[in-house]
Amino acid sequence: MRSLILRTIAPAVLHLTLLFSMFLLLYGHNQPGGGFIAGLMTSVGIVLQWIAVDEEEGRRRFNWPYEGIFLAGLALSTLTGVWGYIKGAYLKSSIYRFELPFIGDVELFTAFLFDVGVYGVVVGVVMCIFTNLCEKETQES
Amino acid sequence: MSDARDYAIITEAQNAKPGIRFTENHSRRALVLDNTFIIVFFPFAAALIIPWFAERFRKHAAWFAMVAPLVSTWALYNLYGEWAAGGRQTFTRAIAWVPAANVEISFMVDGLSLMWGLLVAGMGALIVLYSHWYLHEHEALGRYYGFLIAFMGSMLGVVFSDHLISLFIFWELTSITSFFLIGFWSDRDASNYGATKAILITGSGGLAMLGGFLLLGDLGGEWRLSQLVLMPDIASQVSLGVFLLIILGAATKSAQWPFHIWLPNAMEAPTPISAFLHSATMVKAGIYLLSRFYPILGAHPAWGYVVTGFGMTTMIAGGLLSLRAYDLKAILAYGTISQLGLIVTFLGYGGKGAIIGATLHLYNHAAAKAAMFMTVGIIDHEAGTRDVRLLGNLKKLMPRTHILAVIAALSLIGIPPMGGFITKEMLYEVSLHPGGPGSWSWFWPYLTVFAGVFTALYHLRFLSEPYWQAAEGEAPKHPHDPPMGMLAAPAILVALALAFGLAPGLIENAIVAPAAQATLGGGAKVELHLGLWHGINTPLIMSVITMALGLALYFGFAHVKKVLDAVATAWGKAPAPNRIYDGFVNWLREGTWELLMLIQDGNLRRYMRWMFVLPTIAVLYLVWRLDWGANVFPQGFAGASFLLVVVALMIAGAALATALFRRRIPAILALGTMGYGIAGLFLLLKAPDLALTQIMVESASVVLFLLVFYYLPELKPVRVSAAKKIRDWGIAIGLGVCTTLVMAAAMNTHQFRTIADYFMRTSKPVAGFKNVVNAIIVDYRSYDTLGEIAVLVIAGIAVYALLRLVGEMKCDH
C-alpha cells in the first residue's frame, strides 16, 4: 500500500478534503452539503491518509477519541432539540440574526448545531469502525 | 346502630360540584418550578447522578440518595399547603407532551394523591436510612440507590398522574425499576427468577390495563382522571371486557390470587427493597388504582363481584400459605398478600364505611409491615438466615429488635394502644353496617373476624418461632442487636404506629379523611373522630372473639399445621398458579427457540433468501391486484436520454460482474463501480446532494469492505446443484424485477398531492435554509434524523464492542 505517489499527494489532499468538508458543513444550508456528507468527506479524507502513510504513523497522527466524538455529536444534537423545546417544540429550529464587527450580518440556526452533531456522529462512527478494524489487522498479521 | 360512637363518620352531601381548577396555560418555566413537577421529576434527575456520588463516596452513599426523598417530601409539604389554602379543592397541572395524540404529562392534586405521596416519599427517606446500615460497602451501591430513587419517582408519578397515559407510563416504570431492584443480587439464580417473574406478571397486567385505558379514554372522549370522575354515567357504558382489563392491572400489581405468586419470589430482593416495594408502596399501587377508579367504575355492575371476589380469595389463600412458610420474609410476604386481599375486599364492597376503613388500614399496614420487614432484615443481617427453624431465643439475644417486632406485630394484630387497634375496630364497625349493596351484609362480620384470626395467628407465629421458642437448628452466625442506627428506621415506623393509636387526631382529618373523600368522589364530605376507647360495643366484642380464637389456634398450632399439610398433600400435583406460570414460561422459551431456529439458524444465505423472497411475494401480490400496465409504465421509457441509458447499462454490467467474479477484490471493485454509476445517475437526474453522498458512501464502504474481508475465510468454489442454481437465479431475477416495478410505480402514480411545493416555499422562512434537502434532514424531519444518528451510534458501539470482545476472547484461548 505504500505507493510513493500516494504518499506524496496524500498530505496535500488532506487539507483540501478537510477544507472542502468544512465548506460542505458550513454551506449546507444554502447549497448542496450538510453534516452527513461533510462527515463522510472528513472520514474518507482521514482514511486516505491512513492508507497512504505507515500504519504506526497513521495511528500516531489520527488517534483521536472517536468514541467520544460520536457520543458528543449525539449529545449535541439531542441538546439542540431541548433548546427548541424550550422555545416551542422539540427540535424546532430557531433563527438568530446579529451583526458582528468586520464580518457583517450573521445568521445562526439551531438546526445548524444539530447538523454539527450529525457531522460528529458520522465522523466518529466511521472512524471508530475503521480504526478498530485496522487495529485487528495489525495485531494479527 | 346508633350507639355512642365518637368516631362516627360524619358525612354530608356537598351539593356543589367539586371544583376543578384546570390550569393549562402555565408557562413551561413556571411548571419546572411547580411543586408537583419537583415531587415527581426531582427523583428521576437525582437518580441519574446519585450512582456517581454513591460509587465515589461509598461510606456515605445513603446520604446522597437521601436528598431525593427529602426534597420530594419538602415539595409535598409545600403542595399540601397550597392545596389547603385553596380550600382543599382538586386541581391539576398539565404540560403538553404529544399534542398531536392529545397526550400530556399532567398531575392531579387531591386528598388521595397527597396521602399516597406522603406515604411514598416519607417511606423512601426511611428506607434509604435503613439501607445505609443494611448494605455492605462493597456492593453495587450506585445501581442500588439509583434504581431505588428512580422507583420512588415512578411511584410518585403513578399517584399524581392525571392523564391515563402518563399514569400507565409511570406504572410500568415502577415494574421496570422493581425488576432491577429484585434482581439486585444478579449472581443468584433465585433473584433472577424472582425479578423475571415479577416483571412478566405485573408487566402483562400493566399491558392489559393500557388496553383498558385506551378503550376507556376512547369511550369517554376524555383522558384525564380528574374529568372522568365528573362523568357520572360512564360506569354504565363501560363494557365488561374494558372493566376487567383495568382490574387486571390492579390485581397483578397488588398480588391478588392467582397473580400473587410473584410476591414471595420477589423476596429475593434486599430487605429494604422488600419493605419499600413489597409491603408499603408498589404492591399497593393496585389498591391506589382501585381507589382512584372507585368513583369512575365503582357503579359498574361487575365491580362488587370481581373486586370483592379477588380480595376474598386472596385474603384466605394468603393467610393459609403464610402458615406453611418457614422463611420469615415469606411469612411476611403471604401475610402482606392476605392483608392486601382484605383491603381489596373492602374496596370491592364499597360504600363510605368500607372506603374509610380501607384507607385507614392501608396507612397503618404500610407503617407496621415495613417495620416488620426491617426487623427481619436485621435478623438476616445479624444471624445470617431467615429460616425460622434455625432461629430461636432471639428475645434474649436481640432484645431491642424484639421490642420493635412485637410492637409492630401487635399493631397489625390490633392490640391497643397501637394504631392497628383503631383500624381493626373501624373495619369491624363498618362490617356491621357496610352501607353498600345489602344482600351480603350478614356475611360481612364473619369474614372480617376470620381475616382477623388469621392475621393474629401468623403474626404470633412470626413472633414466637424466632423470638420466643428455642431453635431447631443452628444459625450460621451468633445473632446480637445491630447498631442503633439500623434500628432507627423501624423505630420511627413503630413510633408512628403507636402515635396513630394514642393521638389519631394528628392525621385523621388532615390526611386520611381527604383521601377517603377523594376515593368516594361525587362531593362526599368525610370527617373522622377516632379514638381508642369507645366503651363496650359490638366491635370490641368481635375483637375479643378474634383474640380468643387466634390464641386458641396458636396454642394448637401443631394440629393446625397437620391439617394444612394434609390439604397440601391432597392438592398434590393439581394445577397451582406457580406450576402454570413455570409451564407457560418454559413453553414460551422453548417455542421461541424453535421458531428462531426455523427462521434464523445462522446461515447467511438462508437469511438473504427470506429477505428477498418475502418482498417479492408481496410485490407479486400487488401486481396481481392492480392494473399495472396503466399505472406503472404509462409512457414507457420515453423520457430516458442516451447518456442515462449508457450509465444504466454500465450499472447493470457492474452488478453482473460483481455476482460472477470468483475472487473477492475484483468483486468489491465491481461493486464500487456500480455505486459510482449510481452516483452518476443522480448527477444526470440533477440531485447533487445525493450524488455527493453516494460517492462518499461508496468510497468509505469500499475501504471498509476491504478491511472486513481480511477476516473472512478464503473464497472457495462450491459445487452447487443445477436445481439450486436455478432457484437462486430465480430469486435474484424476481427481486430485481419486483424492485424495478415498485420504483416505476412510485414514479408514475400520483395518488396524493406532493408536499414538495410546501417544502420549497417554507424552507427559508421556517428553517432558515435555502437547501431544501438539508432543511428536511435537520428541521422538518429532524426526529427521523435524530433516530438515525442514534442508530448509527448504537451500530458504532456494537462494532466496537464486537471487535474488542472477539479480540479478548482470542487472547484468552
Side-chain angles (χ1 to χ4, degrees):
Chain A
M1 278 207 199
R2 246 66 74 198
S3 140
L4 186 61
I5 301 172
L6 196 59
R7 289 188 66 171
T8 321
I9 293 176
V13 176
L14 173 70
H15 299 104
L16 268 179
T17 48
L18 290 185
L19 202 64
F20 186 52
S21 73
M22 283 301 122
F23 173 80
L24 285 175
L25 177 64
L26 291 171
Y27 272 73
H29 50 277
N30 289 333
Q31 287 169 25
F36 188 75
I37 305 177
L40 277 173
M41 179 69 89
T42 307
S43 329
V44 171
I46 300 174
V47 166
L48 187 68
Q49 301 301 311
W50 201 292
I51 293 173
V53 298
D54 213 30
E55 169 62 39
E56 271 168 41
E57 201 186 337
R59 187 164 306 286
R60 192 167 48 75
R61 282 172 58 189
F62 302 105
N63 194 15
W64 298 333
Y66 294 110
E67 296 84 39
I69 292 177
F70 68 65
L71 288 177
L74 186 61
L76 178 64
S77 290
T78 315
L79 290 177
T80 314
V82 174
W83 179 256
Y85 184 69
I86 293 166
K87 292 306 222 178
Y90 190 68
L91 284 172
K92 177 96 191 63
S93 179
S94 329
I95 306 171
Y96 297 92
R97 288 193 179 79
F98 41 90
E99 226 168 290
L100 287 178
F102 309 117
I103 297 173
D105 281 345
V106 174
E107 277 188 335
L108 256 186
F109 323 105
T110 55
F112 171 70
L113 289 179
F114 182 81
D115 221 13
V116 173
V118 173
Y119 173 83
V121 169
V122 172
V123 173
V125 170
V126 173
M127 289 312 296
C128 171
I129 295 174
F130 176 79
T131 50
N132 277 301
L133 282 171
C134 260
E135 193 170 333
K136 283 279 110 51
E137 194 162 2
T138 42
Q139 263 177 16
E140 284 163 34
S141 55
Chain B
M1 299 299 280
S2 57
D3 53 343
R5 308 190 309 270
D6 48 0
Y7 56 92
I9 305 140
I10 300 170
T11 50
E12 287 171 17
Q14 204 182 37
N15 286 330
K17 249 185 166 185
I20 300 284
R21 288 192 286 135
F22 200 75
T23 46
E24 226 172 347
N25 299 327
H26 268 284
S27 77
R28 291 218 165 104
R29 224 161 297 171
L31 274 173
V32 170
L33 296 175
D34 187 89
N35 282 322
T36 52
F37 280 74
I38 293 176
I39 291 168
V40 177
F41 289 119
F42 183 80
F44 284 109
L48 290 177
I49 49 168
I50 282 170
W52 188 82
F53 283 106
E55 294 290 340
R56 195 133 312 195
F57 308 100
R58 308 193 68 87
K59 268 192 175 26
H60 308 289
W63 312 128
F64 290 103
M66 188 64 106
V67 173
L70 290 184
V71 167
S72 282
T73 313
W74 169 75
L76 264 162
Y77 175 75
N78 288 343
L79 188 68
Y80 186 87
E82 205 180 314
W83 171 76
R88 298 190 162 194
Q89 283 186 320
T90 305
F91 61 91
T92 62
R93 298 278 156 78
I95 188 168
W97 182 15
V98 190
N102 199 15
V103 173
E104 56 190 23
I105 299 176
S106 59
F107 297 121
M108 164 159 68
V109 181
D110 67 354
L112 191 63
S113 49
L114 281 170
M115 180 192 91
W116 278 90
L118 284 170
L119 187 70
V120 173
M123 197 63 91
L126 291 177
I127 294 296
V128 170
L129 174 66
Y130 179 77
S131 302
H132 174 71
W133 303 94
Y134 182 83
L135 286 179
H136 298 285
E137 232 176 89
H138 60 265
E139 286 183 282
L141 297 176
R143 183 153 54 94
Y144 177 83
Y145 286 111
F147 278 118
L148 181 66
I149 298 303
F151 165 78
M152 194 186 76
S154 321
M155 196 63 210
L156 287 166
V158 166
V159 301
F160 277 102
S161 279
D162 186 21
H163 198 280
L164 289 174
I165 299 298
S166 60
L167 172 59
F168 166 76
I169 286 172
F170 285 119
W171 180 276
E172 290 297 60
L173 276 175
T174 64
S175 289
I176 294 165
T177 44
S178 94
F179 171 79
F180 288 106
L181 289 168
I182 296 169
F184 176 65
W185 286 311
S186 53
D187 50 340
R188 301 182 189 172
D189 284 344
S191 292
N192 295 335
Y193 176 76
T196 314
K197 200 172 190 179
I199 200 169
L200 281 180
I201 293 177
T202 60
S204 329
L207 287 179
M209 192 183 80
L210 174 66
F213 281 179
L214 292 176
L215 293 166
L216 178 72
D218 198 40
L219 177 78
E222 182 55 66
W223 295 85
R224 298 178 206 129
L225 287 163
S226 56
Q227 298 293 308
L228 282 166
V229 171
L230 300 181
M231 302 169 113
D233 49 350
I234 186 119
S236 55
Q237 297 167 21
V238 170
S239 73
L240 183 64
V242 174
F243 173 78
L244 285 179
L245 284 175
I246 294 175
I247 298 299
L248 211 55
T252 49
K253 201 80 163 180
S254 277
Q256 298 296 295
W257 193 93
F259 308 113
H260 68 280
I261 49 171
W262 66 267
L263 191 56
N265 289 108
M267 292 297 142
E268 291 301 328
T271 304
I273 298 303
S274 305
F276 193 30
L277 274 66
H278 308 126
S279 85
T281 57
M282 191 180 85
V283 288
K284 293 210 174 78
I287 304 224
Y288 166 78
L289 193 80
L290 290 176
S291 312
R292 191 46 99 196
F293 275 85
Y294 179 75
I296 301 169
L297 295 177
H300 194 277
W303 177 277
Y305 299 105
V306 173
V307 179
T308 314
F310 265 128
M312 280 205 243
T313 325
T314 307
M315 186 179 79
I316 295 166
L320 290 174
L321 288 166
S322 164
L323 297 178
R324 291 198 70 231
Y326 288 111
D327 181 346
L328 274 173
K329 272 175 96 174
I331 297 177
L332 287 185
Y334 286 118
T336 305
I337 291 172
S338 180
Q339 298 285 313
L340 291 169
L342 180 69
I343 300 175
V344 169
T345 311
F346 272 85
L347 281 173
Y349 201 78
K352 285 188 178 103
I355 298 295
I356 293 167
T359 313
L360 272 174
H361 192 58
L362 185 85
Y363 221 82
N364 202 52
H365 177 256
K369 200 38 110 14
M372 288 168 73
F373 265 111
M374 287 176 180
T375 61
V376 170
I378 291 170
I379 293 177
D380 193 9
H381 205 259
E382 303 299 330
T385 180
R386 301 192 305 255
D387 192 324
V388 288
R389 288 167 295 194
L390 304 181
L391 294 164
N393 277 334
L394 294 183
K395 182 184 172 188
K396 293 212 180 59
L397 297 167
M398 310 171 77
R400 295 196 186 106
T401 316
H402 171 241
I403 290 172
L404 294 177
V406 167
I407 299 177
L410 290 188
S411 177
L412 273 180
I413 298 175
I415 303 286
M418 265 65 79
F421 177 69
I422 296 182
T423 66
K424 192 179 46 117
E425 294 284 284
M426 190 85 198
L427 291 180
Y428 284 165
E429 173 70 34
V430 300
S431 76
L432 291 170
H433 40 91
S439 56
W440 288 7
S441 51
W442 63 268
F443 179 61
W444 224 233
Y446 297 100
L447 183 77
T448 322
V449 169
F450 178 83
V453 171
F454 268 98
T455 310
L457 192 54
Y458 58 69
H459 282 126
L460 281 172
R461 204 177 146 234
F462 170 79
L463 290 176
S464 76
E465 295 199 11
Y467 288 104
W468 302 339
Q469 295 173 2
E472 289 171 37
E474 188 86 19
K477 286 198 263 179
H478 186 71
H480 53 82
D481 261 332
M484 291 305 269
M486 197 170 187
L487 289 167
I492 291 170
L493 287 169
V494 163
L496 281 176
L498 263 175
F500 183 47
L502 294 172
L506 288 176
I507 63 162
E508 58 184 6
N509 284 322
I511 294 169
V512 176
Q517 199 166 311
T519 308
L520 285 162
K525 198 159 164 43
V526 178
E527 247 182 72
L528 296 172
H529 299 280
L530 305 169
L532 279 174
W533 179 248
H534 315 293
I536 296 171
N537 53 13
T538 326
L540 191 67
I541 294 166
M542 287 166 77
S543 275
V544 173
I545 295 173
T546 310
M547 281 306 104
L549 280 175
L551 282 172
L553 284 175
Y554 166 67
F555 285 116
F557 188 69
H559 302 287
V560 177
K561 189 95 185 30
K562 255 179 228 157
V563 175
L564 287 172
D565 288 343
V567 171
T569 323
W571 190 275
K573 292 232 179 294
N578 259 320
R579 245 172 255 140
I580 296 173
Y581 168 83
D582 288 336
F584 177 73
V585 170
N586 280 336
W587 172 80
L588 201 64
R589 191 178 291 142
E590 282 159 20
T592 314
W593 182 248
E594 277 168 25
L595 190 67
L596 190 72
M597 281 301 98
L598 200 69
I599 314 169
Q600 302 197 352
D601 58 352
N603 183 341
L604 184 63
R605 282 160 173 272
R606 190 157 302 159
Y607 291 180
M608 301 307 274
R609 219 172 286 146
W610 279 107
M611 284 160 61
F612 289 170
V613 169
L614 288 179
T616 310
I617 293 172
V619 173
L620 287 177
Y621 173 76
L622 282 176
V623 171
W624 173 59
R625 290 297 301 271
L626 299 173
D627 181 10
W628 277 63
N631 280 327
V632 179
F633 294 114
Q635 307 122 355
F637 293 98
S641 69
F642 174 71
L643 204 54
L644 208 61
V645 173
V646 169
V647 175
L649 285 176
M650 185 186 105
I651 294 170
L656 207 60
T658 311
L660 292 179
F661 275 132
R662 295 260 160 177
R663 284 188 305 148
R664 284 215 176 94
I665 306 273
I668 295 171
L669 293 179
L671 193 67
T673 313
M674 191 171 87
Y676 288 120
I678 292 172
L681 213 58
F682 285 145
L683 266 182
L684 287 174
L685 295 171
K686 301 191 179 64
D689 277 76
L690 287 179
L692 206 52
T693 312
Q694 178 69 23
I695 290 171
M696 289 295 115
V697 168
E698 216 48 60
S699 314
S701 47
V702 165
V703 173
L704 290 181
F705 260 136
L706 288 170
L707 285 171
V708 168
F709 275 8
Y710 167 82
Y711 293 97
L712 298 179
E714 197 74 5
L715 203 59
K716 283 180 200 132
V718 188
R719 202 164 280 285
V720 184
S721 70
K724 281 194 175 162
K725 262 187 187 160
I726 292 168
R727 180 195 65 187
D728 291 349
W729 275 102
I731 291 172
I733 292 172
L735 184 76
V737 168
C738 287
T739 314
T740 314
L741 287 174
V742 169
M743 299 306 283
M747 290 300 296
N748 290 316
T749 42
H750 296 288
Q751 301 272 349
F752 306 101
R753 208 157 52 81
T754 162
I755 57 167
D757 295 338
Y758 168 78
F759 284 146
M760 301 292 265
R761 219 174 43 245
T762 57
S763 80
K764 183 68 190 165
V766 171
F769 279 43
K770 266 191 244 157
N771 176 357
V772 180
V773 175
N774 212 19
I776 292 172
I777 293 175
V778 299
D779 194 303
Y780 294 104
R781 311 298 310 236
S782 47
Y783 264 112
D784 290 0
T785 311
L786 192 64
E788 280 153 15
I789 58 175
V791 169
L792 202 56
V793 165
I794 292 166
I797 292 170
V799 170
Y800 177 80
L802 203 64
L803 290 169
R804 286 286 153 102
L805 282 179
V806 167
E808 274 163 26
M809 273 156 63
K810 273 189 184 161
C811 292
D812 286 348
H813 295 307

